[in-house]
Amino acid sequence: MKKEIEISDAAVDALLQKLQREAEASGYHLNNDRKFVRELVGGLLVNQQRYGYAACPCRLAAGEKAADLDIICPCDYRDADLNEFGACFCALYVGPEVSEGRKQAASIPERRPPASQRRAAKAEISAGAPLGKLSQPVWRCKVCGYLCARGEPPDICPICKAKKERFERFM
Amino acid sequence: MKPFTHVAGKDCGRIVFYGLSTCVWCKKTRRLLDDLGVAYDYVYVDLLNDEERERAMAEVRRWNPNESFPTLVFNEANCVLGYDEEKIKAAVKL
């Protein structure tokens, strides 16, 4: 059995402040439940140490980055869950209703397809639709849906700050 | 050797908890079971080695094809997914 990793309060504080700043800057909200969020941020730091990237603390990471890209926080499923349930799967990110105390965050159904389906879907993905009359390819940020028409995706999504590797060819 | 840890308490049938050590909903679910004072077995799947982990996941999939956590299995008969206080209390039947 693997050992649990200890995370310092100072490390949690530092990451929490950074996430808070970034969330507010791009129109997102972190859960106001301080204790709950500190535990989640601790989980992110554990996964950062364990895998080398901050995989979702509420999902089982494969430990291979290519297989876990969709669950690096913020995950590909966050925005859809915010829209449908008012919180992401972990409830680290919450919508305005939860943020303003009009609704309580709850455990929600898992939107991420199971591993077998993810593998099948990956095999089907082509290089994208034919270019047609577009002068540039269109790239889509899989985290927030931001679209940009340019030779290649930006290094960092200007909207949600996801990294380049999280973009997909859209058109 | 089984990777489960036993928590002693009132016997409400066999309760098996599959969770992740980093997951906050899993923590809340275990706190609820502890507060209810029931006996259960738990395992953190993210802390298992590859072979044990595959075996645990095969069991989780039997009950929960979405492979999410926490997955609570009651008496090898029914399961509760996620932190759901009412469903857990109903399944425990204290």
Side-chain angles (χ1 to χ4, degrees), chain A residues 35-45 57-58 90-92, chain B residues 22 24:
Chain A
K35 184 169 172 264
F36 186 92
V37 165
R38 287 185 64 87
E39 285 184 336
L40 280 173
V41 170
L44 283 172
L45 288 165
C58 301
C90 294
L92 173 62
Chain B
T22 52
V24 180

Side-chain angles (χ1 to χ4, degrees), chain A:
Chain A
M1 205 129 65
K2 294 169 193 165
K3 274 198 184 143
E4 289 197 53
I5 295 167
E6 295 286 326
I7 299 293
S8 73
D9 284 348
V12 171
D13 286 334
L15 180 56
L16 181 54
Q17 276 178 29
K18 175 176 175 278
L19 292 176
Q20 189 91 52
R21 211 169 44 237
E22 288 177 357
E24 297 301 330
S26 39
Y28 291 92
H29 309 283
L30 292 193
N31 196 325
N32 290 323
D33 184 335
R34 199 77 188 160
K35 184 169 172 264
F36 186 92
V37 165
R38 287 185 64 87
E39 285 184 336
L40 280 173
V41 170
L44 283 172
L45 288 165
V46 167
N47 283 348
Q48 176 71 48
Q49 280 196 29
R50 211 188 253 171
Y51 307 120
Y53 46 89
C56 175
C58 301
R59 292 183 169 109
L60 183 62
E64 272 170 63
K65 196 174 184 185
D68 291 334
L69 282 174
D70 62 325
I71 56 164
I72 296 177
C73 185
C75 68
D76 288 5
Y77 314 102
R78 175 187 66 175
D79 287 46
D81 281 334
L82 282 173
N83 287 339
E84 189 174 346
F85 300 107
C88 73
F89 187 67
C90 294
L92 173 62
Y93 290 93
V94 298
E97 278 190 303
V98 175
S99 179
E100 290 158 18
R102 287 180 280 130
K103 186 180 164 186
Q104 200 156 10
S107 204
I108 62 170
E110 172 61 299
R111 181 183 298 276
R112 186 190 201 208
S116 56
Q117 281 180 32
R118 290 199 303 276
R119 278 192 297 270
K122 221 174 196 175
E124 270 178 29
I125 289 171
S126 65
L131 264 182
K133 287 179 186 163
L134 299 174
S135 63
Q136 294 280 337
V138 178
W139 301 95
R140 173 179 177 275
C141 172
K142 293 206 286 182
V143 174
C144 75
Y146 165 72
L147 297 177
C148 58
R150 46 192 271 175
E152 56 179 318
D155 283 337
I156 290 178
C157 174
I159 304 301
C160 75
K161 323 296 179 216
K163 288 186 185 154
K164 183 177 189 172
E165 63 203 7
R166 305 297 292 279
F167 278 74
E168 66 176 0
R169 176 85 173 267
F170 187 66
M171 291 171 87

